[in-house]
Amino acid sequence: MTYVFQQLLNALQVGSIYALIALGYTMVYGILTMINFAHGDLFMVGAFFCFFAAIFLNLPFVPVLVISMVGVALLGVVIERCAYKPLRQAPRVSAIITALGVGLFLENFTLALNPYPKQVPQLLANTTWIFHGVSISSIALFIVILSLLLMLMLDLIVRRTMVGMAMRAISWDKAVVPLLGVPVDLIISLTFAIGTSLGGAAGVMYGLAYPVIDPYMGIMVGWKAFISAVVGGIGNIRGAMIGGYILGALEILVVAVMPSTYRDFVAFVLLLILLIFRPYGILGKPHPQKV
Amino acid sequence: MHTRWLMPGILLCVFVLSLIIHRFELLDSYLQLIVMYIGINIILTLSLNLINGYMGEFSVGHAGFMAVGAYIASFLTVKVIPAHLAAWLFPVAVIAGGMGAALVGLVVALPSFKTRGDYLAIVTLAFVMIVKSVIENIDALGGPRGFLGMEKLATLPWVFFWVILSLWIIRNLVYSNFGRGVLSIREDEVAGDLMSVNTRQVKVLAFTVSSFFAGIAGALFAHLLQFINPRSFDIIKSTDILIMVYLGGIGSIAGSILGATVYTVLLEILRPLGIWRMVLIPLILVLLMLFRPKGIMGLREFPWFVPLRDRLAGRLPRNKRGSS
């Protein structure tokens, strides 16, 4: 029983990180119907911002988190303005290719700047409590709570504020909403900023939990988060959160009962099976094609 | 009459030339290697162009099909076929690799075309990851350490032969009735359906053909490099092929050849830049998408590759409408 609780805690930790990144994918998809394949690499950039802020500026945790989130958000907006905005009217494939290109650029640029894996310093004191045989590290607990807080904030923004209302309106109908005086470009940029800053926060948390970071770490984590978004129903914010935790739990389950090399295999097979039986994800709604 | 035999004549001459070059080592081996890479990349680009260019879908699975072809062919030549027969039975191994990839392609295609849009991209992406993961877990194929022991069986004449064969087949396919069905899916799938094109069947068949050639290219690649490991067939490889397709031009045979050649040569020329080369190339891709999204030859063709009857009917592929 203690073993189950222990694994549950691990699953929550991994799932929180997936869920935070998946939110970025799903928000951009919801508003632009475009898969931002560079998002996983923005997560990686977030981890590197965290590293630089901690090493060169010697900052404590909270400023490091703020710097990473703001830095990644700015980068996300710049990418959106320079690379994606001119392609809004182009065929969707162009935007997907551009996103892949931007992702590769970020990976290789980071690699060119610092060729070796880096070690993120310990920003928070890590104490471990033993509770009925289950060891709870303060960092794991912290990651879970912080990500839940961030998700709660996001949910409030999307559901309760004017900006959130504009976001939902744009994803509902792109043609009419500008006529009603909604500044579409600004809202899209804001969506990118919020989505990517969550990715940046996930990067910092990843750095806390698994301190060795390298420029290619965004690929696999990014794809996994993307799967989470698809599993939850891409374009659906609560779906992305649920999807992240489902995938996290599943991965931990696989590692617990099978050799760990099967982890990725199972994750992707799950995706395929789900897509065959429920192509629009758990919370997604089918949108039939009209002539 | 004489124009009818012109093309086969030229091809035969080049083939003999490649035989001579190979036999007497006229080109230094580095140049030969580059030329063969170009050939393999042409096969890959051409076959992906069938899906992404002519059909207007978006697949990123080519690295996976390459891997299937490469591993099947290598396993055959190293473990199954006796060594003294390997050189003679090499074409069999290559075709077996292609067939294996085609079969896998069929399995992937059947559920993938249920809905439109990004669905295929997601499925093929997952497919690439699954293939890599499966190979890493099969010990007989070397697992993550890779597989080696292949002789260098992919020579200049063989690569040339396979390039011409795939060019010939895909060109004839594109200008056949079936090819018009493929084009109709890109231009307007619903209208194609109404004109009694069995779009689902056309999609599945085109995908199978495309994966067959990806498997062929993979088999050649394995016997050229003489070493393969699961990491040579990850998503980055797929991205490379995508770049070649969109650089050369979608929906164009000439564009595929051009894209594969330019990209391969560019990579070699930029080699002194080291790691910055890999920074520059995605940047080029992004700029290309921003300023010339259909590629160099996008939706156009050298009259050379268009069959005579289409040329006479004025049916050069020069559409005004965009793809997908």
Side-chain angles (χ1 to χ4, degrees):
Chain A
M1 202 59 205
T2 55
Y3 181 68
V4 172
F5 275 109
Q6 186 72 61
Q7 297 298 353
L8 207 63
L9 191 69
N10 292 343
L12 275 177
Q13 180 183 336
V14 181
S16 301
I17 291 174
Y18 286 156
L20 278 182
I21 307 170
L23 282 170
Y25 280 108
T26 223
M27 286 175 76
V28 170
Y29 189 89
I31 206 159
L32 287 179
T33 58
M34 170 203 152
I35 304 173
N36 179 16
F37 278 131
H39 190 65
D41 300 301
L42 284 164
F43 151 79
M44 174 275 295
V45 172
F48 270 88
F49 274 149
C50 160
F51 168 77
F52 284 118
I55 291 284
F56 294 116
L57 305 177
N58 254 325
L59 293 170
F61 176 72
V62 175
V64 165
L65 182 70
V66 172
I67 284 181
S68 288
M69 286 179 73
V70 172
V72 174
L74 284 179
L75 188 62
V77 171
V78 168
I79 289 173
E80 191 267 326
R81 281 286 149 123
C82 299
Y84 300 157
K85 192 174 169 226
L87 290 172
R88 232 173 260 168
Q89 306 302 326
R92 286 160 46 134
V93 171
S94 306
I96 295 182
I97 305 266
T98 310
L100 278 173
V102 169
L104 275 177
F105 174 77
L106 289 177
E107 282 157 26
N108 293 326
F109 190 73
T110 315
L111 184 71
L113 288 183
N114 32 278
Y116 303 107
K118 296 278 184 288
Q119 172 103 30
V120 177
Q122 201 179 7
L123 288 166
L124 292 175
N126 190 8
T127 46
T128 307
W129 302 291
I130 308 284
F131 184 75
H132 289 291
V134 181
S135 67
I136 304 170
S137 84
S138 57
I139 284 190
L141 208 62
F142 180 75
I143 287 176
V144 174
I145 292 172
L146 183 60
S147 21
L148 284 177
L149 270 180
L150 285 172
M151 285 184 236
L152 194 68
M153 263 169 63
L154 177 75
D155 207 62
L156 285 180
I157 290 176
V158 171
R159 275 165 208 277
R160 294 287 158 83
T161 63
M162 286 300 273
V163 173
M165 193 197 270
M167 283 176 187
R168 283 179 289 143
I170 292 174
S171 76
W172 186 260
D173 189 329
K174 262 188 265 320
V176 177
V177 169
L179 301 178
L180 300 174
V182 176
V184 174
D185 285 345
L186 182 73
I187 298 294
I188 289 179
S189 290
L190 266 176
T191 310
F192 262 87
I194 296 174
T196 49
S197 69
L198 291 177
V204 175
M205 291 180 205
Y206 192 91
L208 286 181
Y210 316 97
V212 179
I213 58 175
D214 73 281
Y216 288 123
M217 70 186 216
I219 303 177
M220 211 52 194
V221 178
W223 291 124
K224 296 269 183 65
F226 174 64
I227 293 178
S228 318
V230 174
V231 166
I234 191 149
N236 186 311
I237 288 181
R238 290 185 178 170
M241 300 177 192
I242 297 173
Y245 284 109
I246 289 179
L247 194 70
L250 193 88
E251 278 202 344
I252 296 294
L253 189 73
V254 171
V255 176
V257 296
M258 275 197 263
S260 64
T261 43
Y262 285 93
R263 196 181 57 181
D264 299 346
F265 175 72
V266 170
F268 286 106
V269 168
L270 167 90
L271 171 78
L272 283 190
I273 294 173
L274 185 96
L275 281 179
I276 289 168
F277 292 109
R278 224 187 131 74
Y280 298 98
I282 294 171
L283 292 185
K285 289 184 188 68
H287 14 100
Q289 196 189 1
K290 292 181 208 131
V291 183
Chain B
M1 184 63 194
H2 56 273
T3 49
R4 194 184 155 80
W5 296 106
L6 187 65
M7 196 62 183
I10 294 176
L11 290 181
L12 196 70
C13 289
V14 179
F15 183 68
V16 172
L17 187 71
S18 72
L19 266 177
I20 296 172
I21 289 176
H22 172 63
R23 185 72 188 77
F24 298 104
E25 301 286 332
L26 292 184
L27 278 174
D28 74 275
S29 55
Y30 175 65
L31 274 178
Q32 274 196 37
L33 191 72
I34 305 285
V35 172
M36 282 192 267
Y37 270 138
I38 292 177
I40 291 172
N41 284 340
I42 288 176
I43 301 178
L44 286 169
T45 312
L46 206 60
S47 52
L48 187 64
N49 215 333
L50 192 62
I51 307 291
N52 287 25
Y54 287 104
M55 201 155 79
E57 292 280 346
F58 189 74
S59 158
V60 292
H62 249 46
F65 297 118
M66 250 186 108
V68 173
Y71 269 92
I72 289 181
S74 315
F75 189 76
L76 284 179
T77 52
V78 175
K79 295 266 169 79
V80 179
I81 300 174
H84 60 281
L85 285 176
W88 294 103
L89 289 179
F90 177 53
V92 178
V94 172
I95 290 176
M99 286 296 185
L103 201 68
V104 177
L106 186 68
V107 173
V108 174
L110 281 176
S112 325
F113 288 115
K114 277 170 77 175
T115 51
R116 258 216 102 166
D118 311 316
Y119 195 74
L120 184 67
I122 299 168
V123 172
T124 47
L125 172 75
F127 167 71
V128 172
M129 306 282 186
I130 289 175
V131 167
K132 186 171 169 247
S133 184
V134 165
I135 294 173
E136 275 175 358
N137 283 307
I138 298 180
D139 218 37
L141 294 178
R145 297 182 307 278
F147 192 75
L148 69 174
M150 293 81 89
E151 283 178 64
K152 197 176 174 186
L153 296 171
T155 53
L156 207 53
W158 269 126
V159 173
F160 181 74
F161 168 79
W162 285 111
V163 169
I164 296 303
L165 190 75
S166 53
L167 269 174
W168 185 71
I169 290 179
I170 288 182
R171 181 267 211 176
N172 282 356
L173 215 56
V174 166
Y175 287 101
S176 67
N177 241 346
F178 169 77
R180 309 223 191 277
V182 171
L183 290 186
S184 83
I185 291 172
R186 177 182 77 198
E187 297 298 326
D188 192 332
E189 191 176 338
V190 179
D193 251 334
L194 293 175
M195 301 298 278
S196 79
V197 176
N198 187 347
T199 46
R200 193 175 144 78
Q201 192 188 331
V202 168
K203 282 180 188 172
V204 170
L205 199 57
F207 198 82
T208 312
V209 171
S210 173
S211 22
F212 173 79
F213 282 109
I216 298 269
L220 292 173
F221 178 79
H223 288 87
L224 179 59
L225 218 63
Q226 295 170 275
F227 170 69
I228 45 177
N229 71 351
R231 261 166 302 142
S232 3
F233 304 106
D234 59 3
I235 193 70
I236 309 218
K237 187 80 198 167
S238 279
T239 321
D240 270 351
I241 309 169
L242 282 174
I243 294 179
M244 289 188 272
V245 169
Y246 290 92
L247 176 75
I250 54 170
S252 164
I253 293 171
S256 306
I257 300 175
L258 205 65
T261 314
V262 169
Y263 185 70
T264 317
V265 172
L266 200 68
L267 271 185
E268 288 307 319
I269 292 176
L270 293 180
R271 203 170 271 282
L273 289 181
I275 181 67
W276 289 99
R277 173 179 76 148
M278 302 316 287
V279 179
L280 205 61
I281 281 174
L283 209 59
I284 294 175
L285 179 70
V286 171
L287 292 178
L288 192 77
M289 280 296 127
L290 290 179
F291 296 108
R292 203 172 162 83
K294 291 201 181 81
I296 304 170
M297 290 293 293
L299 295 176
R300 289 178 303 167
E301 195 69 271
F302 284 143
W304 229 46
F305 288 111
V306 184
L308 193 61
R309 65 189 148 85
D310 286 56
R311 240 180 296 164
L312 291 179
R315 281 201 295 252
L316 282 172
R318 200 168 278 145
N319 311 17
K320 293 217 172 57
R321 292 199 40 192
S323 73
S324 83

